[in-house]
Amino acid sequence: MEQALVVYASETGFTQRFALGIAQALHCELIDVQFVTTADLQKRKLIIYGGHLVGEKVLGLKAFYREFHQSLPDQLIFFGSGIIRREQVAIKQIKLQYQNRCVMPIDFYYLQGQPKLSQMNLFRRIQTSLALKQLGASHCPAIHETIQPLLRAVMRLLDQANL
């Protein structure tokens, strides 16, 4: 699908797994934010941006938007990934915060998951293990289940764009 592009920022591979699942489900291109160019963005109807959620901020989104806002299409969906339970995330506030900064309509999704500790360096592994114990995050839905609401929104937006 040339209409959509998934751009992500990931230090440990956690967000990358969600971005890859989204790109596979949509049959679209996937690019690490470090390698994205203006040309990659200009030919799309929809950009899906993902980064790790820290507090109420999606890592890398502000810098991405600041650098590429003139090249972005009319639709932007972004997601934050994390281990915090969904009900503990201020989803409406996060969406509103970014909506106030952007000139285009945006939509936000929180994707909760279980990180692969074996893919992290020792410091991150210890940090994440402690956070998992503190949060009691022992069970998370599979990635393909977690991304379903986002995928439905993408399909709805692309259908509207094709009318």
Side-chain angles (χ1 to χ4, degrees):
M1 176 187 296
E2 287 294 315
Q3 298 177 5
L5 171 67
V6 179
V7 178
Y8 70 93
S10 183
E11 292 180 11
T12 64
F14 183 67
T15 301
Q16 181 184 27
R17 287 190 1 242
F18 286 110
L20 181 60
I22 293 165
Q24 287 175 336
L26 295 173
H27 304 286
C28 70
E29 193 174 355
L30 170 74
I31 301 178
D32 186 312
V33 72
Q34 298 175 51
F35 304 111
V36 73
T37 66
T38 300
D40 294 321
L41 304 170
Q42 289 178 329
K43 58 186 176 182
R44 312 304 171 136
K45 292 183 180 179
L46 171 70
I47 302 298
I48 303 159
Y49 179 91
H52 190 72
L53 187 68
V54 177
E56 292 187 357
K57 295 184 183 193
V58 176
L59 292 183
L61 180 59
K62 185 177 176 183
F64 171 76
Y65 185 80
R66 186 174 47 243
E67 183 174 349
F68 294 110
H69 72 277
Q70 294 179 332
S71 304
L72 292 173
D74 292 336
Q75 299 293 331
L76 174 64
I77 290 179
F78 68 105
F79 69 88
S81 63
I83 59 174
I84 298 169
R85 284 182 282 214
R86 181 175 172 75
E87 53 274 1
Q88 295 176 316
V89 176
I91 293 172
K92 289 180 182 177
Q93 289 88 334
I94 295 168
K95 179 180 177 180
L96 184 62
Q97 168 188 310
Y98 284 102
Q99 183 65 58
N100 290 337
R101 295 180 185 168
C102 298
V103 295
M104 65 182 66
I106 59 168
D107 211 353
F108 171 71
Y109 292 86
Y110 174 67
L111 306 178
Q112 180 191 355
Q114 186 75 30
K116 290 188 177 182
L117 297 175
S118 62
Q119 294 178 340
M120 297 179 185
N121 65 36
L122 181 61
F123 175 74
R124 290 249 191 236
R125 191 178 311 157
I126 292 169
Q127 190 178 36
T128 303
S129 294
L130 291 172
L132 286 168
K133 285 180 184 177
Q134 181 181 20
L135 296 169
S138 58
H139 173 72
C140 297
I143 288 176
H144 70 276
E145 292 173 34
T146 304
I147 64 175
Q148 288 306 310
L150 186 148
L151 294 176
R152 286 192 293 274
V154 167
M155 299 313 288
R156 185 179 66 249
L157 287 172
L158 292 177
D159 286 344
Q160 290 171 357
N162 289 330
L163 292 178

